[in-house]
Amino acid sequence: MKLTTVLAVAVGLGALAACNNNTPQENAADNIEANAEATADNLEEAADNASNEAVESNLENQADATRAAGEEKADATRNGADADGNSAN
């Protein structure tokens, strides 16, 4: 059930992103963030169902790292678009 909720949220975010007149780079960055968030949410769900605290802690750390990596990659995508002059402003 939780996976269904995550997928529904991801589809909703995709629909909202489609309404904006963003550049392809911005859309790609938004997708990177949404995918990282969905993956991190799944890791946190697994942590909630973990059999012991060590596994739970490890999964929560993975979720945090996944979110951070997604944000960094999305920022790099946005900044790369700005730096190379391909942004439509």
Side-chain angles (χ1 to χ4, degrees), residues 3 5-18 26-42 63 66-75 78:
L3 180 59
T5 303
V6 170
L7 292 174
V9 169
V11 169
L13 288 174
L16 286 175
E26 182 65 31
N27 289 336
D30 289 345
N31 288 337
I32 290 167
E33 286 179 328
N35 289 334
E37 186 66 29
T39 301
D41 287 345
N42 287 336
T66 299
R67 278 193 183 91
E71 289 176 14
E72 287 178 24
K73 187 169 182 178
D75 288 344
R78 287 184 185 102

Side-chain angles (χ1 to χ4, degrees), residues 10-80:
V11 169
L13 288 174
L16 286 175
C19 294
N20 294 328
N21 292 326
N22 291 335
T23 65
Q25 293 84 3
E26 182 65 31
N27 289 336
D30 289 345
N31 288 337
I32 290 167
E33 286 179 328
N35 289 334
E37 186 66 29
T39 301
D41 287 345
N42 287 336
L43 287 167
E44 286 180 342
E45 286 298 321
D48 290 343
N49 296 324
S51 58
N52 64 53
E53 288 191 32
V55 173
E56 180 179 1
S57 179
N58 186 18
L59 288 168
E60 288 175 352
N61 289 338
Q62 287 178 7
D64 292 341
T66 299
R67 278 193 183 91
E71 289 176 14
E72 287 178 24
K73 187 169 182 178
D75 288 344
T77 300
R78 287 184 185 102
N79 292 337

